[in-house]
């Protein structure tokens, strides 16, 4: 484990930890994020192949209440990523710090840990809650300028729950940036479920026409893109009917859209579900990352 500043274009990038894992390195960094603005952490797995040549990258977006560390400690993704030669980057789920506003009621579904991957426009959220810009622009630029081990031009994106919403939404809005996208138990129609309505009202205001740009169902219904997608959903998920609404996503698909949807009896919303099927997701992304060298 070390604490070193990386000599890059971003002088604020500081290594927090470096742990050997499946022949690769599980790293954690902190840096001053200009888009948010605050100090942010992210976790990065570099597979052993990165020592020989730049490798592609898959971004992981986590769900409500999570940080950058949940995925790397619970999903068991490093074994398969090391086999395939894929880097994995997991950012935090919201801005952090004393200056960053939080829900006064300390609810888990608004404020810290609940950034929803949007650019907030409403006070007091607008200055810091710009997770869309952070994920789409700032992090990829940081990767490209700071890590010669990664080929930032070969990227895919995936996530869980709120992060599944983020991954599918971001891919649909930026299809040229990602070879593929996938999600575990995503919030498919945030404009129509309690979690999304609460977050969008606070972050974006009452004008629901502004919400559509962050709603996967609205985006996919009108898209001309054909980015390959995979969605896995547990049928014992406690949030399935009220919050996730995958049937709305399936109904919104344009004819022939390349989305494969998989239901799994008995699985819930937890990381046990993610760990059970993370290998299939990484192999799905590997197929398209290799097809787009």
């Amino acid at each position: 484990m070390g604490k070193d500043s990386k000599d890059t274009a971003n002088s604020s990038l500081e290594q927090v930890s470096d742990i050997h894992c499946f022949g690769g390195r599980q790293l954690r960094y902190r840096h001053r994020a200009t888009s948010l603005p605050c100090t942010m952490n992210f976790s990065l797995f570099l597979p052993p192949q990165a020592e020989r040549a730049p490798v592609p990258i898959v971004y992981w977006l986590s769900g409500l209440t999570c940080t950058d560390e949940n995925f790397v400690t619970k999903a068991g993704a490093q074994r398969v990523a090391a086999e395939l030669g894929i880097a994995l980057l997991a950012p935090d789920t919201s801005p952090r710090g004393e200056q960053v506003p939080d829900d006064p009621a300390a609810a888990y579904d608004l404020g810290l840990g609940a950034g929803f991957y949007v650019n907030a426009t409403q006070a007091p959220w607008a200055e810091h809650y710009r997770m869309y810009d952070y994920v789409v622009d700032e992090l990829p630029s940081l990767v490209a300028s700071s890590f010669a081990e990664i080929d930032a031009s070969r990227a895919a994106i995936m996530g869980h729950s709120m992060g599944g919403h983020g991954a599918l939404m971001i891919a649909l809005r930026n299809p040229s940036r990602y070879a593929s996208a996938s999600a575990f138990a995503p919030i498919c129609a945030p404009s129509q479920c309690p979690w999304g309505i609460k977050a969008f009202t606070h972050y974006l205001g009452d004008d629901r026409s502004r919400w559509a740009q962050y709603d996967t169902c609205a985006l996919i219904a009108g898209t001309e893109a054909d980015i390959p997608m995979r969605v896995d959903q547990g049928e014992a998920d406690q949030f399935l009917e009220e919050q996730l609404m995958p049937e709305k996503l399936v109904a919104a698909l344009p004819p022939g859209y390349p989305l494969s949807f998989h239901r799994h009896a008995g699985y819930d919303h937890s990381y046990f579900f993610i760990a059970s099927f993370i290998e299939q997701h990484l192999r799905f992304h590997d197929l398209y990352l290799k097809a787009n060298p």
Side-chain angles (χ1 to χ4, degrees):
M1 182 179 295
K3 277 194 173 182
D4 301 302
S5 295
K6 195 169 179 69
D7 185 17
T8 69
N10 188 325
S11 59
S12 73
L13 187 60
E14 178 187 354
Q15 186 182 103
V16 177
S17 61
D18 183 350
I19 302 171
H20 286 272
C21 183
F22 291 102
R25 300 165 65 199
Q26 182 61 61
L27 302 145
R28 195 175 191 224
Y29 290 92
R30 70 168 59 99
H31 72 115
R32 182 69 182 177
T34 57
S35 56
L36 297 176
C38 66
T39 297
M40 291 288 283
N41 295 319
F42 65 85
S43 292
L44 174 66
F45 175 71
L46 290 177
Q49 295 88 337
E51 296 182 1
R52 302 188 294 272
V55 298
I57 184 168
V58 176
Y59 294 90
W60 169 270
L61 305 184
S62 290
L64 290 165
T65 76
C66 291
T67 69
D68 60 294
E69 294 188 291
N70 295 77
F71 175 73
V72 300
T73 58
K74 295 180 178 181
Q78 294 93 336
R79 177 185 63 82
V80 182
E83 174 194 333
L84 299 175
I86 294 173
L88 302 172
L89 191 151
D92 204 345
T93 52
S94 78
R96 305 277 179 174
E98 293 183 1
Q99 77 280 20
V100 175
D102 192 12
D103 179 25
Y108 74 93
D109 54 357
L110 184 71
L112 300 184
F116 266 84
Y117 304 102
V118 304
N119 283 342
T121 59
Q122 305 300 300
W125 316 99
E127 180 181 0
H128 296 285
Y129 283 74
R130 303 188 63 82
M131 288 298 295
Y132 179 88
D133 281 354
Y134 180 66
V135 171
V136 172
D137 294 320
E138 184 165 359
L139 269 181
S141 294
L142 180 60
V143 167
S145 64
S146 304
F147 297 97
E149 305 95 330
I150 296 173
D151 179 357
S153 68
R154 290 189 291 155
I157 191 167
M158 61 180 178
H160 171 232
S161 193
M162 177 186 73
H165 137 74
L168 299 182
M169 174 269 293
I170 285 171
L172 286 166
R173 291 185 58 175
N174 303 274
S176 65
R177 296 194 180 202
Y178 305 100
S180 51
S182 70
F184 293 86
I187 302 172
C188 295
S191 297
Q192 302 177 57
C193 74
W195 279 339
I197 291 171
K198 178 178 180 179
F200 284 9
T201 300
H202 282 82
Y203 296 151
L204 305 173
D206 294 324
D207 183 354
R208 294 197 174 203
S209 66
R210 298 180 180 178
W211 298 5
Q213 64 184 311
Y214 297 112
D215 188 298
T216 296
C217 285
L219 290 167
I220 207 164
T223 189
E224 296 182 359
D226 60 353
I227 181 170
M229 291 183 172
R230 174 180 176 132
V231 172
D232 283 64
Q233 176 62 61
E235 292 185 345
D237 193 315
Q238 62 270 42
F239 304 113
L240 178 58
E241 294 185 5
E242 183 180 24
Q243 303 285 7
L244 307 180
M245 302 180 180
E247 72 283 353
K248 293 186 180 295
L249 175 61
V250 173
L253 290 174
Y257 191 90
L259 185 148
S260 58
F261 182 77
H262 305 265
R263 286 185 172 271
H264 303 279
Y267 285 90
D268 63 10
H269 200 70
S270 72
Y271 264 88
F272 294 111
F273 171 48
I274 297 169
S276 298
F277 299 100
I278 191 66
E279 179 169 354
Q280 288 89 328
H281 278 242
L282 289 174
R283 293 192 185 281
F284 168 81
H285 292 300
D286 182 59
L287 177 67
Y288 294 101
L289 288 167
K290 285 180 177 175
N292 294 273

